[in-house]
Amino acid sequence: MVQQTDISAFHVDYVDMKDVWQTCRDAATGQRAIHKGRERYLPRLSGQSDTEYTAYLKRALYFNATGRTVEGMVGLSFRKEPVVEVPEAMKPWLEDVTLSGLKAAALAKKVVDEVITVGRYGLLVDYPVAPQPQQGTRMTVEQARAMSLRPYITAYKAEDIRYWDMQRVGAVTKLVELRLGETYVDDDGKEKLQIRQLVIEDGVYVQRLWREVVGSGWAVLQEYTPTMNGKALQDIPFYFCG
């Protein structure tokens, strides 16, 4: 396992695939993305000046068969409304499975779109950090419902799944560490990178949030141990789609 001092390191497979993912996304997006890629997709001719190359680039046409294929295959997959069977108490959750207004059917369509486009997507099942009740007691279902506390799903693109470690545990191979890239807005209004580390330590699932401190490197901003029915989890509730 990579040491915590290398928390920003990438998995070797990530490094190999990142350029491929970018090409796939640009091909599916269409001519605007291809033109933006400039010499990545349209090599400069010998002796062309910047002005000549820009004019040459603008004349180049890109037929977006890739994007049309992705759109058609996603539409074909959802030509019928998906059927989701869940307990009665969970049905209202399907109207907002991400706590950001995204319905379950819309998330499913996004998953299929990403998998067809780049071949990889990830879903993390999480739970809001709840206020701690009095010592020796546990929050009741009614209290959690009153505070709108419930599980939700956070989706991650292939480019945001920076590092993963699968190890043999007993008779199964399981995910023991995962690092996810996220963005946050600092006090100056600038978007910056933070890394969410999900790790199994001593058989228990622990989640840490890392941010880079100027002059000090990466530091843990927040750490907690998610629980279910008052017990710590033994698996990372993250699901690779692909």
Side-chain angles (χ1 to χ4, degrees), residues 126-160:
D126 212 345
Y127 194 91
V129 179
Q132 296 298 317
Q134 294 181 348
Q135 188 172 4
T137 64
R138 282 167 41 187
M139 183 175 293
T140 65
V141 173
E142 289 75 16
Q143 290 174 326
R145 185 179 293 115
M147 299 175 66
S148 298
L149 297 176
R150 63 169 176 82
Y152 64 96
I153 296 174
T154 301
Y156 291 87
K157 298 192 302 182
E159 295 87 343
D160 297 327

Side-chain angles (χ1 to χ4, degrees), residues 78 82 84 93-98 102-109:
F78 290 87
V84 183
W93 302 358
L94 300 181
E95 297 300 308
D96 183 6
V97 292
T98 60
L102 195 64
K103 295 184 178 181
L107 177 60
K109 185 176 291 187

Side-chain angles (χ1 to χ4, degrees), residues 82-101:
V83 177
V84 183
E85 296 183 359
V86 297
E88 192 66 30
M90 291 178 60
K91 287 184 178 180
W93 302 358
L94 300 181
E95 297 300 308
D96 183 6
V97 292
T98 60
L99 293 186
S100 63

Side-chain angles (χ1 to χ4, degrees), residues 1-11 162-164 177-179 195 197 210 217-219:
M1 184 180 297
V2 178
Q3 298 297 314
Q4 291 184 346
T5 50
D6 300 321
I7 195 66
S8 62
F10 295 100
H11 192 284
R162 301 166 61 94
Y163 179 86
W164 56 95
E177 185 181 4
L178 186 71
R179 300 176 197 163
I195 296 175
Q197 181 191 32
W210 294 76
W218 290 90

Side-chain angles (χ1 to χ4, degrees), residues 217-232:
W218 290 90
V220 177
L221 176 70
Q222 181 187 60
E223 177 177 335
Y224 72 100
T225 302
T227 61
M228 179 182 293
N229 298 324
K231 297 181 180 180

Side-chain angles (χ1 to χ4, degrees), residues 4 33 46 59 62 88 188-189 199 223:
Q4 291 184 346
S46 177
R59 292 194 301 269
Y62 172 72
E88 192 66 30
D188 296 325
V199 62
E223 177 177 335

Side-chain angles (χ1 to χ4, degrees), residues 4-198:
Q4 291 184 346
T5 50
D6 300 321
I7 195 66
S8 62
F10 295 100
H11 192 284
V12 61
D13 290 341
Y14 180 101
V15 177
D16 288 341
M17 291 300 298
K18 185 178 181 181
D19 190 62
V20 176
W21 293 331
Q22 184 63 56
T23 301
C24 291
R25 289 197 186 281
D26 290 345
T29 299
Q31 183 165 297
R32 176 173 53 84
I34 297 299
H35 279 188
K36 187 176 180 180
R38 296 180 66 81
E39 293 176 66
R40 173 187 178 95
Y41 303 113
L42 183 66
R44 184 188 296 253
L45 299 179
S46 177
Q48 271 189 329
S49 66
D50 289 343
T51 301
E52 290 172 334
Y53 177 76
T54 299
Y56 174 58
L57 178 66
K58 289 181 178 179
R59 292 194 301 269
L61 299 178
Y62 172 72
F63 178 71
N64 192 6
T66 303
R68 296 182 185 185
T69 300
V70 171
E71 184 178 349
M73 293 183 70
V74 172
L76 185 63
S77 300
F78 290 87
R79 65 191 184 280
K80 293 184 179 180
E81 191 72 17
V83 177
V84 183
E85 296 183 359
V86 297
E88 192 66 30
M90 291 178 60
K91 287 184 178 180
W93 302 358
L94 300 181
E95 297 300 308
D96 183 6
V97 292
T98 60
L99 293 186
S100 63
L102 195 64
K103 295 184 178 181
L107 177 60
K109 185 176 291 187
K110 180 63 176 175
V111 170
V112 174
D113 187 286
E114 286 287 321
V115 169
I116 293 175
T117 302
V118 298
R120 189 173 178 81
Y121 204 48
L123 301 175
L124 172 65
V125 180
D126 212 345
Y127 194 91
V129 179
Q132 296 298 317
Q134 294 181 348
Q135 188 172 4
T137 64
R138 282 167 41 187
M139 183 175 293
T140 65
V141 173
E142 289 75 16
Q143 290 174 326
R145 185 179 293 115
M147 299 175 66
S148 298
L149 297 176
R150 63 169 176 82
Y152 64 96
I153 296 174
T154 301
Y156 291 87
K157 298 192 302 182
E159 295 87 343
D160 297 327
I161 308 173
R162 301 166 61 94
Y163 179 86
W164 56 95
D165 185 13
M166 307 289 293
Q167 292 185 12
R168 187 84 171 184
V169 180
V172 299
T173 299
K174 62 189 292 186
L175 181 66
V176 297
E177 185 181 4
L178 186 71
R179 300 176 197 163
L180 304 168
E182 302 174 345
T183 58
Y184 74 97
V185 179
D186 66 8
D187 295 336
D188 296 325
K190 297 180 180 179
E191 279 196 356
K192 291 188 175 180
L193 171 70
Q194 65 182 20
I195 296 175
R196 189 171 301 276
Q197 181 191 32
L198 319 175

